[in-house]
Amino acid sequence: MYAQQVDTGSKGLKSLDEMSPEERHFQEKVDAEVRIEPKNWMPDGYRKTLIRQISQHAHSEIVGMLPEGNWLTRAPSLKRKLQLMAKIQDEAGHGLYLYSAMETLGADRDEEIEKLHRGEVKFSSIFTYPTLTWADMGAIGWLVDGAAIVNQVPLQRCSYGPYSRAMIRVCKEESFHQRQGYEILLTMMREGTDEQKEMVQDAINRFWWPSLMMFGPSDTNSPNSAQSMAWKIKRHSNDELRQRFLDQTVPQLEFLGCTAPDPDLKWNEETGHYDFGEIDWQEFFDVLKGHSPCGVERIQQRKKAIDEGQWVRDAAVAYAEKKQANNAA
Amino acid sequence: MTTDQALTEYLLRLADTDMVLAQRFCEWCGNAPALEEEIAMMNVGLDLIGQARNWYDYVAELRDDGHDADFLAFRRNEREYRNLLIAEQPRGDYAVTTAKQFFFDVWHHLVLTRLTESSDERIAGIAAKGLKEATYHRRRSTEWMLRLGQGTEESHRRLTDAVQNLWRFTYELTDTDEIEDQLAEAGIGAGNVGDVWRAEVARVFAEAGLELPEPARHFYMDGKNGKHTEHLGFLLAEMQYLPRAYPDATW
């Protein structure tokens, strides 16, 4: 979900004959569904692609805490406050174990975070959108976590062992978040006032298209997919996953009693899938380039937290060193 | 005051203090100095809201006036809130949050320990559950007092400033009023934990290289009886915004 347009640095796929013996051995293992582990030989491009993808994924978990954090101090009941806090805490945890998975590839967490703060690497486009009402907490749980699950379920079988194992844990928690998000909306629609129902529809109107964009550009415009698929980092195309998400989400939308902001959305008997309208790709690419509603603020907040926390981390290190010196003496 | 009236007042103090402190933790979301601290603070915040809910539920049952825990948390104003003053102080930097939490945690741990022996079984049960959490909270904030106290010159300076600023509110942790004395005599409340609190704080201060100030004295403010600093109103305005703006809504 949280990784879009990951550059593989590859100009085209090599056939087994064109590969070096090491590369061929590696590719054969991947083809045979044998997991690649940190100490195994791997092509440089594979390593770099994974570092890019996992760091982007981890950054997205951490930046993704902010739109929800925006409502944490205003959650409307004890139950909702506890739920939201636990959800955000899970996301911090996901970020942590994704950074750990990334570090098994030789990358450094602090360096990668600095790259994020310098704007050199991306986080998921979805988290640049503002959260304007409490209903957005439901819409994010349902749609954003829902899209994330569709994207991450195949990643549980990713060829890189530490990443695939991290995903197994993440997916379990995301499913829980998605049900919670849906329940927030359902409560407002079933038991809420007219104002609350309007809030729900408004949140869906705003998060519908950005959620569909989470799957990345359409297959015809996704130059890195072929290499990622050959390496079995990626298992399905962007459009395939987007369709899967849509097919499972529309019945849930109807059950809520809400509508999608898409006049072209309709069931297609022949294909057995929902047809939907054209995504505004201009908006997607604008957002990725930084021309986004809250992208600047998200990074500013993250950078501020880390910069202002420097003295705290320094103190912790200095104290640990003193303690160690005392123990040695 | 009847024992029941005293009891609901006493429980609200415990509940409101937990709630207000947790709200300050919520403000740290996305702003913590490290990811690990982000998670740890959420943990403590979750524990505190959970405990607040248990106390509020009990108050709601005792009062039996049709108002539930959410009403108690989200519909009472600043003069009705009974939290300790130290809980409502702004989160400040990490030194302020650490010192504030440490002063509270030592007190909280002592109080809950005594409450596990309360003649009121409901209180004893809630306290026993909360005590496990409070034991971790106290260990965590004590460790941070040592880290910041002994860490670097800057961390020591910041912690010293934080202590100087917050110390004046600690009299609420060491003094008791009539309600607390009444309930202690009835074998229900924790009574005064001031001496033990001061001894424990002194021990950690010595290890952290901090100077222990003279005991704080009462000075007009009285959080336990609803006379707060100016910070609480803003905290509640934010926290209670939705239930107050949409009084008929179901969330």
Side-chain angles (χ1 to χ4, degrees):
Chain A
M1 93 168 257
Y2 290 151
Q4 295 155 330
Q5 282 219 301
V6 178
D7 184 6
T8 56
S10 145
K11 300 275 183 293
L13 288 186
K14 282 184 190 172
S15 69
L16 282 176
D17 293 341
E18 291 168 309
M19 292 177 182
S20 68
E22 279 167 322
E23 258 179 296
R24 197 177 311 136
H25 176 66
F26 167 85
Q27 189 62 48
E28 281 164 358
K29 267 172 81 174
V30 168
D31 291 344
E33 300 289 339
V34 177
R35 292 277 172 277
I36 305 300
E37 295 299 334
K39 285 186 177 148
N40 298 152
W41 185 90
M42 61 186 83
D44 208 33
Y46 178 81
R47 185 186 298 276
K48 283 187 179 150
T49 300
L50 274 170
I51 291 174
R52 272 191 211 106
Q53 175 156 343
I54 302 174
S55 68
Q56 207 185 108
H57 196 157
H59 298 330
S60 299
E61 293 282 359
I62 302 309
V63 176
M65 295 162 66
L66 303 179
E68 290 172 323
N70 183 40
W71 281 90
L72 188 55
T73 55
R74 294 176 291 171
S77 69
L78 293 164
K79 176 179 148 185
R80 295 301 181 205
K81 210 176 185 72
L82 285 166
Q83 281 179 347
L84 189 60
M85 242 176 148
K87 180 177 195 279
I88 297 173
Q89 191 192 29
D90 283 348
E91 282 153 5
H94 296 171
L96 262 188
Y97 39 87
L98 282 163
Y99 282 127
S100 303
M102 182 198 74
E103 289 192 318
T104 63
L105 291 155
D108 179 75
R109 169 173 144 187
D110 293 342
E111 276 173 30
E112 294 303 317
I113 290 174
E114 271 173 34
K115 283 186 201 164
L116 172 74
H117 295 173
R118 289 198 301 264
E120 291 167 18
V121 295
K122 296 179 177 39
F123 59 94
S124 177
S125 57
I126 192 76
F127 301 121
T128 69
Y129 290 87
T131 50
L132 301 179
T133 72
W134 172 254
D136 292 10
M137 297 303 100
I140 286 181
W142 173 45
L143 294 173
V144 175
D145 287 72
I149 294 165
V150 169
N151 233 319
Q152 287 169 176
V153 162
L155 284 173
Q156 296 179 112
R157 293 187 295 122
C158 164
S159 59
Y160 189 57
Y163 193 27
S164 82
R165 288 188 289 272
M167 280 305 106
I168 292 171
R169 200 163 150 189
V170 168
C171 280
K172 260 185 221 156
E173 293 179 350
E174 302 269 27
S175 304
F176 187 66
H177 298 161
Q178 194 201 11
R179 281 201 298 277
Q180 254 173 17
Y182 192 69
E183 198 256 331
I184 287 176
L185 300 180
L186 200 59
T187 303
M188 290 171 80
M189 289 305 292
R190 293 263 167 99
E191 299 165 45
T193 61
D194 288 346
E195 263 176 315
Q196 284 182 290
K197 288 174 191 166
E198 277 169 33
M199 243 184 237
V200 173
Q201 184 60 57
D202 169 60
I204 292 171
N205 290 347
R206 284 181 287 109
F207 279 94
W208 184 261
W209 290 110
S211 302
L212 291 177
M213 290 178 199
M214 283 172 65
F215 296 90
S218 73
D219 297 346
T220 48
N221 199 8
S222 184
N224 301 299
S225 287
Q227 182 62 72
S228 272
M229 298 253 241
W231 281 332
K232 300 205 174 179
I233 294 173
K234 199 169 173 159
R235 297 266 176 178
H236 306 279
S237 78
N238 295 349
D239 286 336
E240 209 181 323
L241 292 172
R242 189 169 9 248
Q243 187 67 55
R244 188 178 296 178
F245 169 69
L246 200 79
D247 288 345
Q248 75 177 36
T249 301
V250 175
Q252 295 167 1
L253 177 75
E254 286 166 356
F255 188 75
L256 268 181
C258 292
T259 56
D262 178 3
D264 297 324
L265 182 72
K266 62 172 182 301
W267 177 249
N268 184 326
E269 274 302 337
E270 268 172 51
T271 60
H273 294 289
Y274 284 93
D275 292 338
F276 58 103
E278 187 61 30
I279 288 173
D280 182 355
W281 290 114
Q282 191 56 48
E283 178 178 319
F284 175 74
F285 288 113
D286 277 351
V287 164
L288 280 197
K289 282 190 202 114
H291 190 63
S292 65
C294 301
V296 173
E297 286 82 355
R298 301 282 187 246
I299 293 302
Q300 276 173 348
Q301 188 179 350
R302 285 311 307 151
K303 189 172 174 338
K304 188 164 179 273
I306 294 303
D307 289 351
E308 287 181 357
Q310 187 64 50
W311 71 269
V312 180
R313 299 191 301 277
D314 288 346
V317 170
Y319 175 72
E321 282 168 359
K322 276 181 201 168
K323 248 188 129 174
Q324 212 172 10
N326 285 347
N327 287 346
Chain B
M1 196 180 276
T2 68
T3 307
D4 262 9
Q5 283 169 330
L7 181 56
T8 52
E9 282 292 306
Y10 185 71
L11 294 172
L12 281 176
R13 292 174 184 180
L14 292 168
D16 291 344
T17 302
D18 288 341
M19 194 66 206
V20 167
L21 265 175
Q23 179 71 3
R24 290 292 186 214
F25 275 122
C26 290
E27 293 173 7
W28 273 105
C29 176
N31 301 308
L35 215 40
E36 289 78 357
E37 291 311 297
E38 197 85 54
I39 294 174
M41 279 194 277
M42 292 282 177
N43 245 333
V44 178
L46 281 166
D47 289 344
L48 291 174
I49 298 178
Q51 292 187 30
R53 183 160 69 171
N54 290 336
W55 297 128
Y56 283 138
D57 279 339
Y58 190 23
V59 173
E61 280 174 41
L62 288 169
R63 283 191 172 172
D64 194 22
D65 58 0
H67 290 143
D68 61 4
D70 280 325
F71 180 93
L72 292 170
F74 293 97
R75 299 289 186 95
R76 284 179 308 132
N77 64 33
E78 43 279 57
R79 298 282 285 125
E80 294 168 296
Y81 251 69
R82 295 288 181 256
N83 62 281
L84 300 174
L85 298 169
I86 198 151
E88 71 204 38
Q89 298 313 304
R91 73 176 165 97
D93 64 10
Y94 216 56
V96 171
T97 286
T98 297
K100 202 164 80 164
Q101 200 57 33
F102 170 70
F103 292 148
F104 167 77
D105 287 341
V106 172
W107 175 86
H108 197 212
H109 184 262
L110 293 169
V111 167
L112 290 180
T113 302
R114 289 207 189 162
L115 289 181
T116 59
E117 307 286 323
S118 171
S119 61
D120 183 315
E121 281 177 20
R122 179 76 173 267
I123 291 180
I126 295 173
K129 194 175 165 291
L131 182 61
K132 286 183 203 139
E133 298 164 347
T135 306
Y136 158 71
H137 302 167
R138 173 173 159 167
R139 195 175 66 222
R140 178 176 175 273
S141 56
T142 301
E143 281 168 5
W144 272 107
M145 287 295 284
L146 301 181
R147 277 188 202 113
L148 298 185
Q150 293 186 28
T152 62
E153 234 170 81
E154 182 179 4
S155 69
H156 186 87
R157 176 179 57 75
R158 283 178 184 259
L159 187 59
T160 305
D161 289 350
V163 166
Q164 270 172 10
N165 183 34
L166 292 168
W167 186 259
R168 59 205 161 110
F169 301 109
T170 58
Y171 67 85
E172 286 192 317
L173 306 170
T174 53
D175 300 356
T176 48
D177 67 2
E178 283 168 14
I179 288 176
E180 286 161 306
D181 295 340
Q182 183 187 341
L183 289 173
E185 273 166 40
I188 299 169
N192 192 314
V193 297
D195 289 345
V196 206
W197 182 87
R198 201 172 154 79
E200 173 60 13
V201 170
R203 188 186 67 74
V204 175
F205 267 45
E207 202 181 334
L210 295 165
E211 211 171 303
L212 189 72
E214 286 300 306
R217 281 185 305 112
H218 176 257
F219 69 102
Y220 183 85
M221 304 291 184
D222 183 3
K224 293 174 187 176
N225 290 296
K227 214 194 273 178
H228 291 277
T229 59
E230 291 174 346
H231 304 295
L232 184 66
F234 289 95
L235 180 144
L236 294 181
E238 185 174 349
M239 186 175 93
Q240 300 179 334
Y241 145 68
L242 279 174
R244 287 197 185 270
Y246 303 94
D248 303 321
T250 305
W251 304 101

